Amino acid sequence: MELHDVWFVLIAVLWTGYFFLEGFDFGVGVLTKLLARDRPEKRVLINTIGPVWDGNEVWLLTAGGATFAAFPEWYATLFSGFYLPLLLILVCLIVRGVAFEYRVKRPEENWQRNWETAIFWTSLLPAFLWGVAFGNIVRGVKIDRDFNYAGGVLDLLNPYALLGGLVTLTLFTFHGTVFVGLKTVGEIRERARKLALRVGAVTALLALAFLLWTQSERGDGASLVAVVVAVASLVLALAAARVGREGWAFVLSGLTIVATVAVLFLTLFPNVMPSTLNPDWSLTVTNASSSPYTLKIMTWCAGVATPVVMVYQGWTYWVFRKRIGTQHIADPVH
């Protein structure tokens, strides 16, 4: 296996880790409107991800940086062609981080409600837009002979990509609902379990349609295995949530995300961005990659740094592993 193939796999792993981890905290942000009934319950939901949400975003920074260094042509075409949706995602992530920190800085009702609304929308929009972006990457976009994006914003709003957006939005919300059931106690935990069944049923229908569409047009034997794993794990996650086994439900919903991302990257390889204008103008792991020397240096750096980051992040989750409820919420100090 060539180094550019290795880095394609590593970038797929980084995006998988990002969607697995950031997926549930996007879902929790959406649940601040769908599940919480009062301010203490909203604080419970936010506190479940409070110690980890910023660490989860490290995976996005690493995935973007790795793409820039390993596949500069891919990075240039992707970020120029998808400029507006990616800018919107970036703005949402910035506002979301500010909202987490500033929500309880003042006691006024309007102040806190406005920041809570910001958390909801800046969780919902990226969860949807990431699916639209990756749907277009897999489907292919208008790339000319110079590897420049030749389409417009409206070209990105095609049925396949929009369905992909709905899949990531509902799947992340389901993942977040299961996470809330795993991390909370009392009435909010019971309501999270019931909501997980409803959201999971919708997710299953949308995901099945999207995965079958992807498989029928671009799939092979390996991607078919990933499709089966994604569908089976989602069904089992629903069954686990139904009987109150939140730990297993969370693992299985996470496995659904992992398998779904695997389907996308398996159907994409060896392309990194297919061209709908001419297949010969597609960006591939070969013509979009950096030099072998650059990839070699990156591989050594990643081999040293990645285990350290994973151990530290795992330790963070272990420290903040206990369940919380409204009885654990102290009065705010301003």
Side-chain angles (χ1 to χ4, degrees):
M1 180 181 289
E2 300 290 339
L3 278 179
H4 51 66
D5 297 330
V6 171
W7 273 98
F8 180 85
V9 174
L10 290 177
I11 288 173
V13 170
L14 291 171
W15 280 110
T16 302
Y18 174 67
F19 288 142
F20 181 98
L21 296 172
E22 189 86 311
F24 71 74
D25 68 49
F26 280 149
V28 172
V30 173
L31 292 177
T32 57
K33 290 287 188 183
L34 301 182
L35 183 63
R37 292 179 176 175
D38 51 30
R39 180 137 292 113
E41 289 191 350
K42 290 182 179 180
R43 291 184 63 191
V44 168
L45 293 180
I46 293 172
N47 284 358
T48 61
I49 60 174
V52 298
W53 68 267
D54 49 354
N56 294 343
E57 291 186 355
V58 171
W59 289 79
L60 172 61
L61 299 175
T62 308
T67 303
F68 171 76
F71 299 100
E73 289 283 359
W74 184 13
Y75 182 93
T77 304
L78 174 64
F79 279 78
S80 60
F82 293 21
Y83 181 82
L84 286 179
L86 292 178
L87 177 63
L88 182 56
I89 290 173
L90 177 61
V91 171
C92 284
L93 294 180
I94 293 172
V95 174
R96 187 168 178 263
V98 174
F100 283 136
E101 299 298 330
Y102 276 73
R103 191 185 69 87
V104 293
K105 296 298 183 182
R106 291 171 54 179
E108 291 87 348
E109 180 78 14
N110 285 341
W111 173 271
Q112 296 191 8
R113 184 169 57 247
N114 288 339
W115 283 120
E116 289 163 0
T117 300
I119 290 173
F120 170 77
W121 285 109
T122 56
S123 299
L124 184 148
L125 288 175
F128 175 74
L129 290 174
W130 279 127
V132 174
F134 272 85
N136 278 292
I137 291 173
V138 173
R139 172 183 175 270
V141 291
K142 295 178 179 178
I143 300 176
D144 62 22
R145 66 172 64 250
D146 297 319
F147 301 142
N148 295 319
Y149 179 67
V153 175
L154 294 181
D155 293 319
L156 303 178
L157 303 179
N158 54 81
Y160 177 80
L162 292 175
L163 178 59
L166 291 176
V167 170
T168 52
L169 174 58
T170 54
L171 182 54
F172 291 169
T173 304
F174 173 65
H175 195 40
T177 309
V178 173
F179 179 77
V180 170
L182 179 64
K183 287 288 293 179
T184 59
V185 295
E187 183 183 352
I188 193 171
R189 176 188 177 189
E190 292 301 316
R191 280 190 276 116
R193 183 176 66 84
K194 293 177 182 178
L195 181 60
L197 298 178
R198 297 196 293 271
V199 175
V202 175
T203 303
L205 294 175
L206 293 173
L208 182 62
F210 179 73
L211 292 172
L212 290 179
W213 190 347
T214 304
Q215 178 65 26
S216 64
E217 292 195 356
R218 301 166 185 84
D220 56 15
S223 62
L224 178 60
V225 172
V227 168
V228 172
V229 172
V231 174
S233 57
L234 181 54
V235 172
L236 291 174
L238 279 168
R242 184 179 182 84
V243 297
R245 300 297 298 272
E246 291 97 346
W248 278 109
F250 180 72
V251 170
L252 290 165
S253 66
L255 180 58
T256 304
I257 293 175
V258 171
T260 300
V261 177
V263 171
L264 298 180
F265 277 90
L266 285 170
T267 54
L268 184 61
F269 186 82
N271 294 320
V272 292
M273 283 191 76
S275 173
T276 57
L277 298 179
N278 187 330
D280 293 334
W281 299 344
S282 297
L283 288 167
T284 68
V285 293
T286 303
N287 63 25
S289 69
S290 295
S291 67
Y293 181 75
T294 300
L295 297 178
K296 183 177 180 179
I297 296 298
M298 289 176 60
T299 303
W300 280 105
C301 293
V304 173
T306 303
V308 175
V309 173
M310 295 182 68
V311 169
Y312 173 78
Q313 193 165 25
W315 176 78
T316 303
Y317 277 92
W318 175 256
V319 170
F320 295 100
R321 67 189 182 277
K322 293 184 179 179
R323 295 177 181 266
I324 61 174
T326 53
Q327 68 271 26
H328 301 116
I329 301 299
D331 294 332
V333 177
H334 301 284

